[in-house]
Amino acid sequence: MNIIIAIIIMAVVTYIIRVLPLAVFRKPIKNKFIRSFLYYVPYVTLSVMTFPAILNATGNIYLGGVGFIVAICFSLYKGSLPLVALVSCLAVYILEFFI
């Protein structure tokens, strides 16, 4: 019975979160600060969810940090996403043999 109540509560909360902005904001938002804030919310959310996963992907947090640094360096040199992922994974894989 507790599981059903929990599912109903989660459904109601999710519905409220999705419907409330439609009910409150009927006109387009014209404030530049709020528009820029809402523009960056998806990027920040993705970063907050991804960064801890990068560090905890290996058994050693330092190897995850090295992989992150390698990925940042390669992405700054206009590397494509598959290339950046491959190089950072290879760097961590090779370093695991030495540590």
Side-chain angles (χ1 to χ4, degrees), residues 54-91:
I54 291 170
L55 294 180
N56 295 324
T58 62
N60 189 342
I61 194 168
Y62 299 113
L63 288 176
V66 168
F68 179 70
I69 291 170
V70 169
I72 292 293
C73 292
F74 268 83
S75 66
L76 288 176
Y77 289 111
K78 307 292 186 209
S80 64
L81 182 61
L83 179 66
V84 169
L86 179 69
V87 171
S88 61
C89 288
L90 283 174

mmCIF file of all heavy atoms in Angstrom, residues 54-91:
data_model
loop_
_atom_site.group_PDB
_atom_site.id
_atom_site.type_symbol
_atom_site.label_atom_id
_atom_site.label_comp_id
_atom_site.label_asym_id
_atom_site.label_seq_id
_atom_site.Cartn_x
_atom_site.Cartn_y
_atom_site.Cartn_z
ATOM 1 N N ILE A 54 31.742 11.078 -13.573
ATOM 2 C CA ILE A 54 33.069 10.982 -14.186
ATOM 3 C C ILE A 54 34.101 10.600 -13.137
ATOM 4 O O ILE A 54 34.940 9.723 -13.357
ATOM 5 C CB ILE A 54 33.452 12.317 -14.860
ATOM 6 C CG1 ILE A 54 32.580 12.565 -16.074
ATOM 7 C CG2 ILE A 54 34.921 12.341 -15.249
ATOM 8 C CD1 ILE A 54 32.724 13.945 -16.664
ATOM 9 N N LEU A 55 34.051 11.246 -11.996
ATOM 10 C CA LEU A 55 35.046 10.968 -10.960
ATOM 11 C C LEU A 55 34.877 9.585 -10.346
ATOM 12 O O LEU A 55 35.848 8.958 -9.942
ATOM 13 C CB LEU A 55 34.980 12.035 -9.866
ATOM 14 C CG LEU A 55 35.375 13.448 -10.294
ATOM 15 C CD1 LEU A 55 35.258 14.390 -9.121
ATOM 16 C CD2 LEU A 55 36.769 13.492 -10.881
ATOM 17 N N ASN A 56 33.662 9.093 -10.278
ATOM 18 C CA ASN A 56 33.408 7.798 -9.655
ATOM 19 C C ASN A 56 33.343 6.650 -10.657
ATOM 20 O O ASN A 56 33.007 5.533 -10.278
ATOM 21 C CB ASN A 56 32.102 7.855 -8.863
ATOM 22 C CG ASN A 56 32.204 8.810 -7.698
ATOM 23 O OD1 ASN A 56 33.230 8.928 -7.065
ATOM 24 N ND2 ASN A 56 31.121 9.514 -7.430
ATOM 25 N N ALA A 57 33.647 6.898 -11.918
ATOM 26 C CA ALA A 57 33.542 5.855 -12.944
ATOM 27 C C ALA A 57 34.612 4.783 -12.756
ATOM 28 O O ALA A 57 34.401 3.628 -13.108
ATOM 29 C CB ALA A 57 33.649 6.460 -14.335
ATOM 30 N N THR A 58 35.751 5.163 -12.218
ATOM 31 C CA THR A 58 36.816 4.200 -11.965
ATOM 32 C C THR A 58 36.892 3.949 -10.462
ATOM 33 O O THR A 58 36.221 4.596 -9.671
ATOM 34 C CB THR A 58 38.166 4.742 -12.467
ATOM 35 O OG1 THR A 58 38.485 5.931 -11.743
ATOM 36 C CG2 THR A 58 38.113 5.063 -13.945
ATOM 37 N N GLY A 59 37.730 3.022 -10.082
ATOM 38 C CA GLY A 59 37.896 2.745 -8.660
ATOM 39 C C GLY A 59 38.706 3.820 -7.947
ATOM 40 O O GLY A 59 38.705 3.900 -6.728
ATOM 41 N N ASN A 60 39.400 4.632 -8.707
ATOM 42 C CA ASN A 60 40.278 5.657 -8.146
ATOM 43 C C ASN A 60 39.778 7.020 -8.616
ATOM 44 O O ASN A 60 39.659 7.276 -9.813
ATOM 45 C CB ASN A 60 41.712 5.400 -8.620
ATOM 46 C CG ASN A 60 42.721 6.273 -7.914
ATOM 47 O OD1 ASN A 60 42.382 7.286 -7.321
ATOM 48 N ND2 ASN A 60 43.974 5.867 -7.987
ATOM 49 N N ILE A 61 39.527 7.912 -7.664
ATOM 50 C CA ILE A 61 39.002 9.237 -8.012
ATOM 51 C C ILE A 61 40.029 10.056 -8.791
ATOM 52 O O ILE A 61 39.674 10.876 -9.638
ATOM 53 C CB ILE A 61 38.529 9.981 -6.735
ATOM 54 C CG1 ILE A 61 37.689 11.191 -7.105
ATOM 55 C CG2 ILE A 61 39.697 10.384 -5.887
ATOM 56 C CD1 ILE A 61 36.958 11.798 -5.936
ATOM 57 N N TYR A 62 41.318 9.795 -8.577
ATOM 58 C CA TYR A 62 42.363 10.535 -9.282
ATOM 59 C C TYR A 62 42.400 10.157 -10.759
ATOM 60 O O TYR A 62 42.651 11.005 -11.623
ATOM 61 C CB TYR A 62 43.715 10.306 -8.630
ATOM 62 C CG TYR A 62 43.739 10.781 -7.200
ATOM 63 C CD1 TYR A 62 43.867 9.889 -6.151
ATOM 64 C CD2 TYR A 62 43.604 12.133 -6.894
ATOM 65 C CE1 TYR A 62 43.864 10.314 -4.833
ATOM 66 C CE2 TYR A 62 43.597 12.578 -5.587
ATOM 67 C CZ TYR A 62 43.733 11.659 -4.561
ATOM 68 O OH TYR A 62 43.724 12.095 -3.264
ATOM 69 N N LEU A 63 42.153 8.890 -11.059
ATOM 70 C CA LEU A 63 42.099 8.481 -12.458
ATOM 71 C C LEU A 63 40.897 9.108 -13.160
ATOM 72 O O LEU A 63 40.986 9.491 -14.329
ATOM 73 C CB LEU A 63 42.023 6.960 -12.562
ATOM 74 C CG LEU A 63 43.301 6.206 -12.206
ATOM 75 C CD1 LEU A 63 43.074 4.708 -12.248
ATOM 76 C CD2 LEU A 63 44.423 6.600 -13.137
ATOM 77 N N GLY A 64 39.795 9.214 -12.470
ATOM 78 C CA GLY A 64 38.643 9.906 -13.038
ATOM 79 C C GLY A 64 38.952 11.373 -13.306
ATOM 80 O O GLY A 64 38.541 11.929 -14.325
ATOM 81 N N GLY A 65 39.692 11.990 -12.396
ATOM 82 C CA GLY A 65 40.102 13.384 -12.598
ATOM 83 C C GLY A 65 41.033 13.537 -13.783
ATOM 84 O O GLY A 65 40.922 14.503 -14.550
ATOM 85 N N VAL A 66 41.942 12.577 -13.961
ATOM 86 C CA VAL A 66 42.843 12.617 -15.110
ATOM 87 C C VAL A 66 42.047 12.475 -16.403
ATOM 88 O O VAL A 66 42.285 13.201 -17.379
ATOM 89 C CB VAL A 66 43.927 11.516 -14.996
ATOM 90 C CG1 VAL A 66 44.670 11.353 -16.300
ATOM 91 C CG2 VAL A 66 44.888 11.832 -13.880
ATOM 92 N N GLY A 67 41.104 11.552 -16.421
ATOM 93 C CA GLY A 67 40.260 11.397 -17.601
ATOM 94 C C GLY A 67 39.476 12.663 -17.902
ATOM 95 O O GLY A 67 39.318 13.053 -19.059
ATOM 96 N N PHE A 68 39.003 13.332 -16.868
ATOM 97 C CA PHE A 68 38.268 14.588 -17.037
ATOM 98 C C PHE A 68 39.174 15.665 -17.621
ATOM 99 O O PHE A 68 38.788 16.386 -18.541
ATOM 100 C CB PHE A 68 37.699 15.031 -15.691
ATOM 101 C CG PHE A 68 36.953 16.324 -15.739
ATOM 102 C CD1 PHE A 68 35.730 16.408 -16.378
ATOM 103 C CD2 PHE A 68 37.463 17.458 -15.144
ATOM 104 C CE1 PHE A 68 35.029 17.600 -16.424
ATOM 105 C CE2 PHE A 68 36.780 18.647 -15.175
ATOM 106 C CZ PHE A 68 35.560 18.719 -15.824
ATOM 107 N N ILE A 69 40.396 15.777 -17.106
ATOM 108 C CA ILE A 69 41.340 16.790 -17.599
ATOM 109 C C ILE A 69 41.721 16.512 -19.051
ATOM 110 O O ILE A 69 41.801 17.429 -19.869
ATOM 111 C CB ILE A 69 42.572 16.860 -16.676
ATOM 112 C CG1 ILE A 69 42.167 17.442 -15.323
ATOM 113 C CG2 ILE A 69 43.686 17.684 -17.306
ATOM 114 C CD1 ILE A 69 43.222 17.344 -14.259
ATOM 115 N N VAL A 70 41.958 15.242 -19.368
ATOM 116 C CA VAL A 70 42.280 14.886 -20.756
ATOM 117 C C VAL A 70 41.103 15.229 -21.674
ATOM 118 O O VAL A 70 41.294 15.767 -22.767
ATOM 119 C CB VAL A 70 42.649 13.388 -20.858
ATOM 120 C CG1 VAL A 70 42.715 12.928 -22.300
ATOM 121 C CG2 VAL A 70 43.968 13.123 -20.150
ATOM 122 N N ALA A 71 39.891 14.953 -21.232
ATOM 123 C CA ALA A 71 38.711 15.272 -22.038
ATOM 124 C C ALA A 71 38.567 16.774 -22.241
ATOM 125 O O ALA A 71 38.251 17.225 -23.356
ATOM 126 C CB ALA A 71 37.458 14.702 -21.379
ATOM 127 N N ILE A 72 38.811 17.551 -21.207
ATOM 128 C CA ILE A 72 38.735 19.014 -21.330
ATOM 129 C C ILE A 72 39.783 19.515 -22.318
ATOM 130 O O ILE A 72 39.487 20.344 -23.189
ATOM 131 C CB ILE A 72 38.932 19.690 -19.945
ATOM 132 C CG1 ILE A 72 37.761 19.397 -19.029
ATOM 133 C CG2 ILE A 72 39.134 21.196 -20.090
ATOM 134 C CD1 ILE A 72 36.457 20.018 -19.457
ATOM 135 N N CYS A 73 41.024 19.007 -22.203
ATOM 136 C CA CYS A 73 42.093 19.447 -23.101
ATOM 137 C C CYS A 73 41.771 19.115 -24.558
ATOM 138 O O CYS A 73 41.945 19.950 -25.443
ATOM 139 C CB CYS A 73 43.416 18.815 -22.697
ATOM 140 S SG CYS A 73 44.047 19.422 -21.125
ATOM 141 N N PHE A 74 41.304 17.915 -24.813
ATOM 142 C CA PHE A 74 40.995 17.548 -26.187
ATOM 143 C C PHE A 74 39.770 18.289 -26.711
ATOM 144 O O PHE A 74 39.698 18.603 -27.898
ATOM 145 C CB PHE A 74 40.798 16.033 -26.310
ATOM 146 C CG PHE A 74 42.058 15.315 -26.661
ATOM 147 C CD1 PHE A 74 42.971 14.986 -25.678
ATOM 148 C CD2 PHE A 74 42.344 14.982 -27.970
ATOM 149 C CE1 PHE A 74 44.142 14.336 -25.985
ATOM 150 C CE2 PHE A 74 43.511 14.338 -28.291
ATOM 151 C CZ PHE A 74 44.418 14.007 -27.305
ATOM 152 N N SER A 75 38.817 18.575 -25.864
ATOM 153 C CA SER A 75 37.641 19.306 -26.336
ATOM 154 C C SER A 75 37.980 20.769 -26.635
ATOM 155 O O SER A 75 37.355 21.380 -27.498
ATOM 156 C CB SER A 75 36.513 19.219 -25.321
ATOM 157 O OG SER A 75 36.857 19.901 -24.131
ATOM 158 N N LEU A 76 38.971 21.326 -25.942
ATOM 159 C CA LEU A 76 39.380 22.701 -26.226
ATOM 160 C C LEU A 76 40.061 22.820 -27.585
ATOM 161 O O LEU A 76 40.056 23.888 -28.199
ATOM 162 C CB LEU A 76 40.307 23.218 -25.130
ATOM 163 C CG LEU A 76 39.641 23.511 -23.796
ATOM 164 C CD1 LEU A 76 40.674 23.916 -22.759
ATOM 165 C CD2 LEU A 76 38.587 24.588 -23.938
ATOM 166 N N TYR A 77 40.650 21.741 -28.050
ATOM 167 C CA TYR A 77 41.287 21.734 -29.368
ATOM 168 C C TYR A 77 40.328 21.285 -30.457
ATOM 169 O O TYR A 77 40.725 20.719 -31.460
ATOM 170 C CB TYR A 77 42.538 20.857 -29.361
ATOM 171 C CG TYR A 77 43.651 21.464 -28.576
ATOM 172 C CD1 TYR A 77 44.067 20.907 -27.375
ATOM 173 C CD2 TYR A 77 44.274 22.628 -29.001
ATOM 174 C CE1 TYR A 77 45.085 21.477 -26.638
ATOM 175 C CE2 TYR A 77 45.291 23.210 -28.266
ATOM 176 C CZ TYR A 77 45.690 22.617 -27.092
ATOM 177 O OH TYR A 77 46.697 23.193 -26.357
ATOM 178 N N LYS A 78 39.044 21.496 -30.246
ATOM 179 C CA LYS A 78 37.982 21.235 -31.221
ATOM 180 C C LYS A 78 37.891 19.759 -31.608
ATOM 181 O O LYS A 78 37.595 19.429 -32.744
ATOM 182 C CB LYS A 78 38.179 22.080 -32.488
ATOM 183 C CG LYS A 78 38.327 23.554 -32.245
ATOM 184 C CD LYS A 78 37.050 24.152 -31.735
ATOM 185 C CE LYS A 78 37.244 25.660 -31.648
ATOM 186 N NZ LYS A 78 36.477 26.276 -30.648
ATOM 187 N N GLY A 79 38.149 18.884 -30.665
ATOM 188 C CA GLY A 79 37.992 17.465 -30.933
ATOM 189 C C GLY A 79 36.519 17.087 -30.960
ATOM 190 O O GLY A 79 35.701 17.664 -30.253
ATOM 191 N N SER A 80 36.187 16.126 -31.790
ATOM 192 C CA SER A 80 34.808 15.674 -31.846
ATOM 193 C C SER A 80 34.484 14.870 -30.586
ATOM 194 O O SER A 80 35.382 14.386 -29.896
ATOM 195 C CB SER A 80 34.578 14.822 -33.088
ATOM 196 O OG SER A 80 35.360 13.652 -33.014
ATOM 197 N N LEU A 81 33.217 14.724 -30.298
ATOM 198 C CA LEU A 81 32.798 14.031 -29.083
ATOM 199 C C LEU A 81 33.294 12.585 -29.025
ATOM 200 O O LEU A 81 33.816 12.170 -27.992
ATOM 201 C CB LEU A 81 31.279 14.111 -28.938
ATOM 202 C CG LEU A 81 30.698 13.468 -27.688
ATOM 203 C CD1 LEU A 81 31.245 14.139 -26.435
ATOM 204 C CD2 LEU A 81 29.194 13.550 -27.700
ATOM 205 N N PRO A 82 33.169 11.803 -30.109
ATOM 206 C CA PRO A 82 33.691 10.426 -30.032
ATOM 207 C C PRO A 82 35.201 10.383 -29.806
ATOM 208 O O PRO A 82 35.692 9.536 -29.063
ATOM 209 C CB PRO A 82 33.324 9.815 -31.388
ATOM 210 C CG PRO A 82 32.191 10.629 -31.884
ATOM 211 C CD PRO A 82 32.414 12.007 -31.357
ATOM 212 N N LEU A 83 35.935 11.313 -30.427
ATOM 213 C CA LEU A 83 37.385 11.349 -30.244
ATOM 214 C C LEU A 83 37.748 11.720 -28.810
ATOM 215 O O LEU A 83 38.639 11.100 -28.203
ATOM 216 C CB LEU A 83 38.019 12.337 -31.218
ATOM 217 C CG LEU A 83 39.532 12.489 -31.114
ATOM 218 C CD1 LEU A 83 40.213 11.183 -31.517
ATOM 219 C CD2 LEU A 83 40.009 13.640 -31.967
ATOM 220 N N VAL A 84 37.074 12.692 -28.252
ATOM 221 C CA VAL A 84 37.334 13.108 -26.867
ATOM 222 C C VAL A 84 37.037 11.962 -25.908
ATOM 223 O O VAL A 84 37.829 11.673 -25.004
ATOM 224 C CB VAL A 84 36.502 14.367 -26.515
ATOM 225 C CG1 VAL A 84 36.555 14.657 -25.031
ATOM 226 C CG2 VAL A 84 36.987 15.559 -27.311
ATOM 227 N N ALA A 85 35.922 11.295 -26.101
ATOM 228 C CA ALA A 85 35.566 10.167 -25.228
ATOM 229 C C ALA A 85 36.573 9.036 -25.367
ATOM 230 O O ALA A 85 36.997 8.442 -24.361
ATOM 231 C CB ALA A 85 34.162 9.679 -25.570
ATOM 232 N N LEU A 86 36.980 8.723 -26.585
ATOM 233 C CA LEU A 86 37.933 7.634 -26.817
ATOM 234 C C LEU A 86 39.284 7.940 -26.196
ATOM 235 O O LEU A 86 39.862 7.092 -25.498
ATOM 236 C CB LEU A 86 38.080 7.386 -28.317
ATOM 237 C CG LEU A 86 39.059 6.288 -28.713
ATOM 238 C CD1 LEU A 86 38.506 4.933 -28.296
ATOM 239 C CD2 LEU A 86 39.327 6.324 -30.197
ATOM 240 N N VAL A 87 39.793 9.134 -26.391
ATOM 241 C CA VAL A 87 41.110 9.493 -25.858
ATOM 242 C C VAL A 87 41.096 9.526 -24.338
ATOM 243 O O VAL A 87 42.041 9.036 -23.694
ATOM 244 C CB VAL A 87 41.577 10.843 -26.453
ATOM 245 C CG1 VAL A 87 42.819 11.353 -25.761
ATOM 246 C CG2 VAL A 87 41.824 10.697 -27.937
ATOM 247 N N SER A 88 40.061 10.068 -23.751
ATOM 248 C CA SER A 88 40.019 10.121 -22.283
ATOM 249 C C SER A 88 39.872 8.722 -21.693
ATOM 250 O O SER A 88 40.489 8.405 -20.673
ATOM 251 C CB SER A 88 38.893 11.037 -21.804
ATOM 252 O OG SER A 88 37.650 10.558 -22.237
ATOM 253 N N CYS A 89 39.087 7.861 -22.334
ATOM 254 C CA CYS A 89 38.964 6.479 -21.857
ATOM 255 C C CYS A 89 40.292 5.738 -21.989
ATOM 256 O O CYS A 89 40.683 4.978 -21.099
ATOM 257 C CB CYS A 89 37.878 5.745 -22.620
ATOM 258 S SG CYS A 89 36.217 6.274 -22.196
ATOM 259 N N LEU A 90 40.985 5.942 -23.102
ATOM 260 C CA LEU A 90 42.294 5.305 -23.287
ATOM 261 C C LEU A 90 43.309 5.798 -22.263
ATOM 262 O O LEU A 90 44.114 5.008 -21.749
ATOM 263 C CB LEU A 90 42.817 5.556 -24.700
ATOM 264 C CG LEU A 90 42.186 4.723 -25.807
ATOM 265 C CD1 LEU A 90 42.696 5.172 -27.167
ATOM 266 C CD2 LEU A 90 42.482 3.254 -25.588
ATOM 267 N N ALA A 91 43.281 7.087 -21.959
ATOM 268 C CA ALA A 91 44.211 7.629 -20.967
ATOM 269 C C ALA A 91 43.977 6.986 -19.603
ATOM 270 O O ALA A 91 44.931 6.583 -18.924
ATOM 271 C CB ALA A 91 44.056 9.151 -20.885
#
